Amino acid sequence: MGLKTVVSWTVVLEGVVKWEGLENGRKVFDEMPERNEVAWTVMIVGYVENGMTREAFELLREMIFGCGFVLNDVSLCSILSACSRSGDLSLGRWVHGYAVKEIGWDVGVMVGTGLVDMYAKCGRIGAASVVFGNMPRRNVVAWNAMISGLAMHGKGKDVVDMFDSMIEEGVKPDALTFLALLSACSHSGMVDLGWKYFNELESIHGINPEMEHYACMVDLLGRAGRLEDAEALIESMPFAPNEVVMGSLLGSCYTHGKVKLGEKIMRELVQMDPLNTEYHVLLSNMYALSGKDDKANSLRKVLKKRGIKKVPGTSSMYVGGQLHQFIAGDKSHPQTAGIYRMLDDMIRRLRLGGYVPSTSSQVLFGCSTRDDCSEALEEVEQVLFTHSEKLALAFGLINTPSGSTIHIFKNLRICQDCHSAMKIASYIYNREIVVRDRYRFHSFKQGSCSCSDYW
Ligand SMILES: [Zn+2]
Ligand SMILES: [Zn+2]
């Protein structure tokens, strides 16, 4: 083993961290006779991605002060992007400070872009704008980071302004720029502008629209209720639509109660993606809402037989440099008793503030007929109340100073019920609550959300 070079050890380390987990990776790391910068970075990134901020800091300290390493641009960027993925602002800020001290005020395009992306994805869009504004040189990657960040935060108008400035500065937009632009139009309900950009893609900018661009447009048109236009666009596509495009259209059918079109799409989707039961759930709920109980019931039977496969929703937040994670109905946290006491109190106050649990979308999981429903309603409500977002919020209210902003990360889309609960909570507790879900940021303040309920 001693004959192995540092490089091949590092390759082994990377593989072990990726496939056998962090603990085994650490064993390899500790055994290495000699460690290069890449090896240190692999280990640190592993810790950051798993929410182990304290361990990451310990290793950084040892690397820099103990072994005299200096982090180069590549290491800085990999750590920053790990911070973006896990939402670790404290480490991201530290990297910012370190870079300024080591490199100087102008940290360069690469690290600057990493910082913009990190701040945007950690919910600090203001800080991202400041870093971006101070960058003396900006390439298309930097612009994309800024524009995507603004799009994620639902700042549709700022995205459009930014795009104009980008063109003015003579930077050529690419396919990613347009993806951010179109998704911003979609999240802000700017249908006509979205159409305009989509049409200019090829004709003015010479970019061939890809599947993702079509998916964005279908989403944009669908949300706005223009389902016929969305369908026509899909038919005009030069390649066959994938399940993301069709799934988005089905979602819009659900929102706008178009059962017939929904049925048709569902049939196509089942052929494309036979193992995914999410579509069945959507259609079944659509039937239930439009009073077609018999159809809803037969779909539920199919689902029951196959077993509903769902990715569990988790919500997490950093408090005191540590990641706290919750799943629905979680009782594993050491503060569980306190969290549930806070939750009870919170629900009571939310109800006084006008919160009505939205049990309709939960019909499928609670019961099979309408009579069962009224009996099961209480139970369904209980399930709603212990959604991971609400547990995280209760935890945050206990563990952060009053008046401070609460940052929550959710791995899936935030549900309708939690969305309305968060709005009222932000008012009752006088707190800004920022939730980053799988698609975007929601910033709840004084009873309303930055998305204006358009998501
Ligand atoms: Zn929820
Ligand atoms: Zn929102």
Side-chain angles (χ1 to χ4, degrees):
M1 293 291 265
L3 289 173
K4 275 192 178 170
T5 63
V6 186
V7 175
S8 56
W9 267 98
T10 308
V11 173
V12 172
L13 174 65
E14 269 179 290
V16 172
V17 168
K18 188 167 177 196
W19 302 111
E20 294 171 38
L22 217 48
E23 247 169 75
N24 291 321
R26 184 61 197 246
K27 278 184 206 142
V28 175
F29 181 80
D30 288 338
E31 272 173 35
M32 286 172 82
E34 208 184 315
R35 301 170 191 135
N36 61 6
E37 194 179 338
V38 182
W40 284 94
T41 308
V42 168
M43 225 36 241
I44 292 165
V45 164
Y47 280 131
V48 178
E49 282 182 334
N50 284 278
M52 299 162 79
T53 311
R54 207 172 302 145
E55 287 80 357
F57 268 126
E58 255 164 42
L59 220 53
L60 267 173
R61 221 165 290 143
E62 202 185 325
M63 175 189 183
I64 296 165
F65 303 113
C67 304
F69 278 99
V70 178
L71 293 166
N72 66 16
D73 282 8
V74 177
S75 296
L76 288 174
C77 286
S78 0
I79 298 173
L80 281 175
S81 87
C83 294
S84 301
R85 280 192 294 275
S86 64
D88 190 340
L89 181 71
S90 61
L91 197 68
R93 273 192 182 134
W94 182 89
V95 170
H96 191 182
Y98 175 88
V100 170
K101 213 172 76 200
E102 286 293 327
I103 310 172
W105 175 77
D106 175 14
V107 294
V109 181
M110 208 172 128
V111 176
T113 303
L115 287 170
V116 169
D117 183 64
M118 182 276 295
Y119 279 120
K121 292 200 177 133
C122 290
R124 292 349 187 245
I125 192 67
S129 297
V130 171
V131 173
F132 183 75
N134 284 330
M135 283 170 72
R137 283 160 294 119
R138 301 182 292 212
N139 58 12
V140 62
V141 187
W143 280 95
N144 285 352
M146 191 65 235
I147 290 179
S148 311
L150 289 166
M152 272 188 92
H153 285 266
K155 304 205 175 287
K157 202 187 158 302
D158 293 341
V159 168
V160 173
D161 291 346
M162 265 288 162
F163 180 70
D164 290 342
S165 321
M166 177 181 182
I167 303 288
E168 245 167 63
E169 246 187 66
V171 179
K172 202 174 144 28
D174 62 11
L176 275 176
T177 319
F178 277 94
L179 214 51
L181 203 55
L182 292 177
S183 82
C185 290
S186 177
H187 287 305
S188 306
M190 303 187 289
V191 185
D192 295 330
L193 203 57
W195 255 131
K196 180 178 113 66
Y197 287 133
F198 185 75
N199 288 322
E200 289 176 0
L201 246 180
E202 218 169 344
S203 61
I204 296 186
H205 302 282
I207 299 166
N208 290 326
E210 293 159 20
M211 189 71 83
E212 289 80 9
H213 297 107
Y214 281 101
C216 259
M217 278 314 290
V218 168
D219 186 56
L220 170 65
L221 293 166
R223 280 165 191 274
R226 288 166 59 174
L227 287 147
E228 290 78 15
D229 289 339
E231 230 194 329
L233 183 69
I234 291 175
E235 263 153 38
S236 78
M237 284 170 64
F239 32 76
N242 66 3
E243 71 279 0
V244 178
V245 174
M246 298 308 286
S248 152
L249 190 59
L250 181 63
S252 300
C253 289
Y254 173 65
T255 314
H256 297 280
K258 305 265 185 185
V259 179
K260 229 180 161 147
L261 185 57
E263 284 174 331
K264 190 182 137 199
I265 295 163
M266 159 85 179
R267 271 193 295 275
E268 289 174 42
L269 270 169
V270 168
Q271 282 180 343
M272 277 182 197
D273 192 0
L275 291 176
N276 192 330
T277 47
E278 252 173 70
Y279 315 127
H280 292 77
V281 175
L282 260 179
L283 188 66
S284 165
N285 284 344
M286 212 187 300
Y287 283 143
L289 280 180
S290 58
K292 295 184 176 171
D293 287 354
D294 46 334
K295 284 196 170 185
N297 282 336
S298 72
L299 251 189
R300 279 176 201 141
K301 276 191 196 118
V302 175
L303 273 176
K304 242 184 203 150
K305 234 195 300 180
R306 294 168 58 169
I308 300 168
K309 212 173 63 195
K310 278 180 78 195
V311 184
T314 32
S315 293
S316 47
M317 67 185 299
Y318 281 92
V319 169
Q322 221 193 320
L323 189 73
H324 299 264
Q325 253 178 341
F326 301 93
I327 56 168
D330 207 327
K331 292 207 165 141
S332 63
H333 196 278
Q335 291 184 32
T336 292
I339 293 170
Y340 277 80
R341 258 198 310 278
M342 179 52 126
L343 191 67
D344 277 347
D345 183 56
M346 187 171 94
I347 299 295
R348 196 178 47 79
R349 293 171 72 169
L350 285 176
R351 281 190 196 269
L352 288 174
Y355 162 69
V356 182
S358 57
T359 42
S360 68
S361 59
Q362 298 292 317
V363 171
L364 173 73
F365 301 103
C367 46
S368 55
T369 69
R370 287 217 165 141
D371 289 341
D372 286 351
C373 252
S374 47
E375 274 170 36
L377 195 63
E378 221 167 296
E379 203 176 306
V380 174
E381 281 187 354
Q382 215 48 51
V383 173
L384 270 180
F385 296 158
T386 58
H387 274 185
S388 62
E389 300 95 312
K390 295 193 185 82
L391 289 174
L393 177 60
F395 172 78
L397 286 169
I398 300 172
N399 290 285
T400 55
S402 87
S404 66
T405 303
I406 294 177
H407 289 267
I408 297 171
F409 295 84
K410 167 108 200 256
N411 64 335
L412 305 172
R413 192 191 283 266
I414 184 173
C415 85
Q416 199 85 44
D417 186 76
C418 286
H419 195 269
S420 51
M422 295 278 170
K423 281 201 285 189
I424 303 171
S426 73
Y427 178 74
I428 291 176
Y429 292 97
N430 196 20
R431 293 271 202 133
E432 189 175 347
I433 304 164
V434 179
V435 178
R436 165 177 153 186
D437 73 5
R438 193 166 149 199
Y439 301 96
R440 60 170 300 152
F441 278 92
H442 296 268
S443 172
F444 302 92
K445 217 175 178 174
Q446 290 301 316
S448 58
C449 180
S450 60
C451 74
S452 317
D453 301 333
Y454 201 91
W455 44 284

